[in-house]
């Protein structure tokens, strides 16, 4: 894509102002230079409408991030499309995507969407990004059998529901919602990454079926005890920062644990650090902003207890 004569090149798209006399308030329109383009990027182009895309017969990737688009439309001829990015616009409804049967990635983050809908024909979809919208309910996803990544962070979701059918999901992001309980995840037995930061969770539970979990993020909740991880033996990253935890416990079986973040909690007893003695693969531990970190010999004591550490807090261990 190019905005002036000096930057035009083959395979790009030119954006020309509808009103060249207005400098700051002018909107733009799409002009296609090469109809054989497979990838076009209209990032930050002041576009208000999706139109004039009919010449694109070989297009595989379209990016319209940071524009002023209010409606998904005029995509009926783009059957070859594999990736569609409409991040940071003003879209309210997910619609008019039925013909995009080859779509593998759809990014509608940072819009004004209230409901998950209009995805019925996207059976090849692998990655769906809907963060920072106004979605209140997880729904209408069970038919997406090929979905690998689902991003629903920063919405208004209160309950984890309706994930049945997503057996191939490996990455689930639900941070910054209003979720109070970890539940209904047993159907996601291939899940490797679970992100639930900044919710209202007070207990680690209902993870028994998630035996392939590699990373779990639970920072900024109201958790007071480390528990419920007996079947999560493959964990390599465990984030519990900014909770109410006083004791490190029930993680001695996590033999592959490499990253353990438990800063900003209520740990004050040095004996609890000894419970990490069996986690020999630990490389990074964050313990700052706990009561024990006020000890003048804090770093020296930690390194004596865990001499294999590579990094303590933000500083490498010598």
């Amino acid at each position: 894509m190019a905005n002036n004569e000096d930057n035009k090149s083959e395979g790009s798209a030119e954006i020309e102002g509808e009103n060249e006399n207005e400098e700051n308030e002018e909107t733009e329109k799409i002009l296609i230079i090469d109809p054989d383009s497979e990838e076009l990027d209209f990032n930050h182009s002041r576009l208000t409408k999706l139109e004039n895309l009919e010449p694109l017969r070989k297009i595989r990737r379209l990016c319209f991030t940071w524009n002023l688009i209010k409606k998904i439309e005029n995509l009926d001829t783009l059957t070859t499309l594999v990736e569609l990015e409409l991040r940071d616009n003003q879209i309210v409804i997910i619609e008019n995507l039925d013909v995009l049967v080859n779509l593998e990635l759809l990014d509608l983050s940072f819009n004004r969407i209230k409901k998950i809908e209009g995805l019925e024909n996207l059976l090849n979809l692998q990655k769906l990004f809907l963060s920072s919208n106004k979605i209140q309910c997880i729904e209408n996803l069970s038919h997406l059998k090929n979905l690998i990544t689902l991003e629903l962070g920063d919405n208004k979701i209160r309950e984890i529901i309706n994930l049945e059918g997503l057996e191939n999901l490996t990455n689930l992001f639900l941070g910054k919602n209003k979720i109070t309980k970890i539940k209904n995840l047993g159907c996601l037995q291939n899940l490797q990454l679970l992100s639930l930061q900044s919710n209202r969770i007070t207990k680690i539970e209902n993870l028994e079926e998630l035996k392939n979990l590699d990373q779990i993020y639970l920072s900024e909740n109201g958790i007071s005890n480390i528990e419920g991880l007996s079947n999560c033996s493959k964990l390599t990253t465990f984030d519990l920062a900014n909770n109410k935890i006083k004791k490190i416990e029930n993680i001695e079986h996590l033999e592959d644990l490499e990253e353990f973040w438990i800063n900003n909690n209520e740990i004050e007893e040095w004996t609890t650090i000894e419970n990490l003695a069996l986690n020999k693969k630990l490389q990074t531990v964050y313990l700052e902003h706990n009561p024990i970190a006020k000890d003048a010999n804090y770093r020296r004591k930690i390194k004596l207890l865990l001499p294999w550490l590579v990094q303590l807090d933000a500083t490498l261990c010598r």
Side-chain angles (χ1 to χ4, degrees):
M1 181 186 69
N3 289 326
N4 55 56
E5 293 296 332
D6 293 333
N7 293 328
K8 293 177 185 176
S9 62
E10 185 176 355
S12 67
E14 178 187 6
I15 306 301
E16 294 186 350
E18 292 181 345
N19 187 345
E20 296 180 354
N21 295 323
E22 296 179 7
E23 295 182 356
N24 296 323
E25 298 182 358
E26 68 180 23
T27 57
E28 306 276 342
K29 63 182 179 180
I30 304 169
L31 291 181
I32 304 302
I33 292 177
D34 183 3
D36 291 327
S37 298
E38 293 188 2
E39 180 173 335
L40 292 174
D41 192 336
F42 297 92
N43 178 48
H44 240 306
S45 301
R46 298 193 300 278
L47 294 172
T48 59
K49 189 174 182 180
L50 293 173
E51 58 183 348
N52 304 325
L53 297 167
E54 292 80 7
L56 296 172
R57 298 298 181 180
K58 297 182 180 180
I59 193 70
R60 291 179 57 82
R61 180 180 180 271
L62 272 176
C63 180
F64 293 98
T65 57
W66 284 98
N67 281 288
L68 304 169
I69 297 166
K70 293 185 169 72
K71 184 176 181 178
I72 304 173
E73 58 185 340
N74 300 320
L75 302 175
D76 294 347
T77 60
L78 309 184
T79 56
T80 58
L81 203 59
V82 174
E83 296 185 12
L84 176 60
E85 298 183 35
L86 287 162
R87 181 186 178 97
D88 285 287
N89 278 282
Q90 300 173 9
I91 296 167
V92 176
I93 300 174
I94 304 175
E95 58 185 339
N96 300 320
L97 297 172
D98 291 345
V99 302
L100 306 185
V101 295
N102 292 306
L103 205 63
E104 296 178 1
L105 182 151
L106 176 61
D107 189 349
L108 290 167
S109 300
F110 293 91
N111 278 283
R112 302 173 184 178
I113 297 165
K114 294 183 178 181
K115 184 177 181 180
I116 302 174
E117 59 186 339
L119 305 174
E120 291 77 14
N121 287 5
L122 306 188
L123 301 182
N124 288 307
L125 202 63
Q126 297 180 15
K127 298 180 180 181
L128 177 60
F129 301 93
L130 288 166
S131 62
S132 300
N133 278 283
K134 300 180 179 181
I135 297 168
Q136 297 184 17
C137 181
I138 304 173
E139 59 186 336
N140 301 321
L141 295 172
S142 60
H143 63 290
L144 300 178
K145 306 296 183 183
N146 293 306
L147 202 63
I148 296 174
T149 297
L150 176 60
E151 165 66 271
L152 288 168
D154 193 13
N155 277 284
K156 299 181 178 182
I157 297 168
R158 295 181 179 273
E159 188 176 11
I160 303 175
I161 55 173
N162 299 327
L163 294 172
E164 295 80 9
L166 305 182
E167 291 87 0
N168 290 310
L169 199 69
T170 58
N171 304 302
L172 177 60
F173 298 88
L174 289 168
K176 204 173 180 181
N177 277 287
K178 300 179 179 181
I179 297 167
T180 58
K181 188 173 183 178
I182 303 174
K183 63 178 183 176
N184 298 325
L185 294 172
C187 57
L188 307 179
Q189 296 187 17
N190 288 309
L191 200 66
Q192 296 177 17
L193 186 155
L194 175 61
S195 175
L196 288 164
Q197 307 109 305
S198 302
N199 276 284
R200 301 172 181 178
I201 296 166
T202 57
K203 186 177 182 179
I204 305 173
E205 58 184 337
N206 299 318
L207 299 176
E208 294 80 11
E209 301 297 323
L210 306 185
K211 298 179 182 180
N212 290 305
L213 263 187
D214 177 74
Q215 303 173 56
I216 184 167
Y217 300 90
L218 292 167
S219 61
E220 297 187 52
N221 278 285
I223 297 167
S224 55
N225 295 306
I226 303 176
E227 57 188 334
L229 300 169
S230 57
N231 290 349
C232 301
S233 58
K234 294 183 180 180
L235 274 185
T236 64
T237 300
F238 190 16
D239 177 12
L240 282 169
N242 289 281
N243 278 284
K244 300 178 180 180
I245 296 167
K246 295 184 178 181
K247 185 179 180 182
I248 297 173
E249 57 186 342
N250 299 321
I251 65 170
E252 61 277 355
H253 64 293
L254 304 180
E255 296 180 357
D256 293 325
L257 192 64
E258 298 176 359
E259 304 272 339
F260 184 44
W261 308 332
I262 196 165
N263 51 288
N264 296 82
N265 275 277
E266 300 174 7
I267 296 172
E268 56 186 357
E269 297 293 334
W270 279 99
T271 54
T272 194
I273 306 300
E274 296 174 3
N275 292 333
L276 293 172
L278 294 177
N279 304 106
K280 300 294 186 180
K281 290 186 180 180
L282 264 181
Q283 296 183 21
T284 300
V285 171
Y286 274 83
L287 277 161
E288 59 188 352
H289 306 302
N290 278 286
I292 61 168
K294 296 179 181 179
D295 190 313
N297 295 311
Y298 161 70
R299 288 189 63 85
R300 185 177 66 85
K301 287 183 178 181
I302 294 290
K303 286 189 284 186
L304 286 173
L305 289 169
L306 308 172
W308 52 86
L309 280 187
V310 176
Q311 180 177 327
L312 174 60
D313 301 326
T315 306
L316 293 176
C317 298
R318 295 181 180 179

